[in-house]
Amino acid sequence: MRATVMRSSKLVVDTLPDPEPGPGEVLVKTLACGICGSDLHALKHADKLVEAAREGGMPFNMDPARDVVMGHEFCAEVLDFGPETQRALRPGARVVSMPLVFGMRGLHGVGYSNEYPGGYGELMLLSEMMLLPVPNGLSTEHAALTEPMAVGVHAVAKARLEPGDAALVVGCGPVGLAVVAALRLRGVEPIVAADFSATRRALAEGVGAHLVVDPKVEGAMDAMNRVAGARSTVIFECVGVPGLIHQIMRDAPREARLVVAGVCMEDDRIRPMLGINKELSVQFVLGYRPDEFADTLTAIAEGRIPVAPLVTGKVGVEGVAGAFRDLASPDAHAKVLVEPWRS
């Protein structure tokens, strides 16, 4: 199969052996796969990603010194079944899945594994138990956004919102946009979203923000205080750069709740007394639960999570490296989909 491979911290296009499904596994054809910001980080900081996962006790099976086919935001077509499968879905069915495989080789994250290729390749192996059929009428490209939008659904759930809470979303990249959409789904008002990029601010408005802010013009917290008044404040950090958590803690009002959804690969520093003096609550989040993933697919299919504006580019395997470079600019794209079958 043709695939874009992470090899020696570079992206190269190569032909790899077709994967063969083992017990409980299904062979699928990748139809569309989103490029995640975590993949951009992993290309530069794979060693740190693995180190942090292992220190955190996560079953993370990836050796950065070996080939990795990334891609974990996908919609795929069922091709064939391995042994010990129920075959409830027929070949040709479109599916999405949480990017986890429970195989004889242990637990692997699809797209962050040397054994299980991700969606930057033409073929993948998935666990049959994890497959969700794509509802009729839902486009492939929108179904592929189930995974990133589920990240926002989970972050909002972990915030433990209460009636009357106001929300500030700092950063309107894919994670921030997913959080804004999930807040809208929950009926939170007001939702303030801050980003330096005019393109991203426009997208935030499109998915549900009531007010968008350019921090060069007005401070995000100043805008939040202006529209929310004395309401309880929940702040979502969706950037993932060193120093931002400290800045938010410094500027946050008393008893604010901070949800850290941005993926920061670097060491960072905070001043605990800021949190102590203000009695701040800080919640770190990761991924989603299976029920949240399934609920997100349903919400997208029913139009309750708007995703159409987020798809801003499509490439084949030869275009992945260029898309990574383009995504470094916040005004270039929101979500680029890899379609490995595309010539």
Side-chain angles (χ1 to χ4, degrees):
M1 70 169 185
R2 296 281 287 168
T4 300
V5 184
M6 181 174 70
R7 181 180 294 161
S8 302
S9 299
K10 296 181 180 180
L11 294 174
V12 299
V13 178
D14 203 352
T15 300
L16 306 178
D18 291 354
E20 297 183 4
E25 296 174 358
V26 178
L27 177 68
V28 301
K29 172 186 176 181
T30 307
L31 300 177
C33 180
I35 297 177
C36 178
S38 297
D39 296 341
L40 306 184
H41 290 309
L43 184 63
K44 294 183 178 180
H45 306 290
D47 290 337
K48 293 180 180 179
L49 180 69
V50 172
E51 179 185 5
R54 289 175 178 168
E55 287 181 348
M58 296 181 64
F60 200 75
N61 296 304
M62 185 180 84
D63 179 358
R66 298 170 55 203
D67 283 357
V68 176
V69 179
M70 290 192 289
H72 59 275
E73 306 176 355
F74 50 78
C75 177
E77 176 187 336
V78 173
L79 295 181
D80 199 5
F81 299 86
E84 302 175 23
T85 49
Q86 300 297 316
R87 305 188 179 216
L89 297 172
R90 296 180 179 180
R94 291 181 304 139
V95 295
V96 296
S97 171
M98 291 179 60
L100 293 173
V101 173
F102 302 88
M104 297 183 65
R105 290 167 282 189
L107 176 63
H108 286 255
V110 176
Y112 292 118
S113 166
N114 308 105
E115 308 296 335
Y116 288 89
Y120 297 175
E122 294 177 314
L123 300 172
M124 294 184 290
L125 297 177
L126 303 176
S127 284
E128 184 184 43
M129 70 174 70
M130 303 296 291
L131 299 183
L132 294 174
V134 175
N136 289 335
L138 180 61
S139 71
T140 292
E141 64 181 39
H142 294 172
L145 296 187
T146 301
E147 198 279 344
M149 302 313 287
V151 171
V153 169
H154 177 70
V156 170
K158 295 291 281 188
R160 298 176 175 84
L161 294 167
E162 299 176 358
D165 282 344
L168 169 63
V169 180
V170 180
C172 299
V175 172
L177 294 172
V179 169
V180 170
L183 288 165
R184 174 183 177 273
L185 187 65
R186 293 282 294 269
V188 175
E189 188 172 349
I191 304 167
V192 178
D195 200 289
F196 290 103
S197 165
T199 300
R200 291 184 171 183
R201 293 196 302 273
L203 288 169
E205 280 189 307
V207 296
H210 301 103
L211 174 67
V212 295
V213 180
D214 181 352
K216 296 192 300 292
V217 177
E218 181 179 18
M221 203 63 64
D222 292 335
M224 186 71 200
N225 293 336
R226 175 167 56 83
V227 299
R231 294 189 183 190
S232 298
T233 302
V234 183
I235 307 162
F236 294 84
E237 189 280 295
C238 301
V239 180
V241 297
L244 187 53
I245 295 175
H246 165 77
Q247 178 183 327
I248 292 173
M249 291 176 63
R250 181 196 65 200
D251 297 341
R254 284 190 54 81
E255 298 186 349
R257 307 199 299 282
L258 169 59
V259 178
V260 182
V263 178
C264 183
M265 295 288 185
E266 305 293 332
D267 290 343
D268 202 356
R269 298 180 67 180
I270 64 170
R271 293 176 60 192
M273 281 305 298
L274 287 174
I276 292 169
N277 289 339
K278 296 181 179 182
E279 294 192 307
L280 303 178
S281 298
V282 181
Q283 170 75 60
F284 292 87
V285 298
L286 173 68
Y288 33 75
R289 300 193 312 262
D291 61 313
E292 292 168 336
F293 191 91
D295 289 346
T296 301
L297 174 62
T298 300
I300 293 173
E302 294 177 348
R304 292 183 288 115
I305 293 181
V307 297
L310 305 186
V311 179
T312 54
K314 299 178 182 179
V315 297
V317 291
E318 290 81 4
V320 174
F324 268 52
R325 292 191 294 270
D326 291 344
L327 286 164
S329 170
D331 287 316
H333 285 288
K335 181 63 65 176
V336 175
L337 297 182
V338 181
E339 297 173 334
W341 47 267
R342 179 184 290 270
S343 59

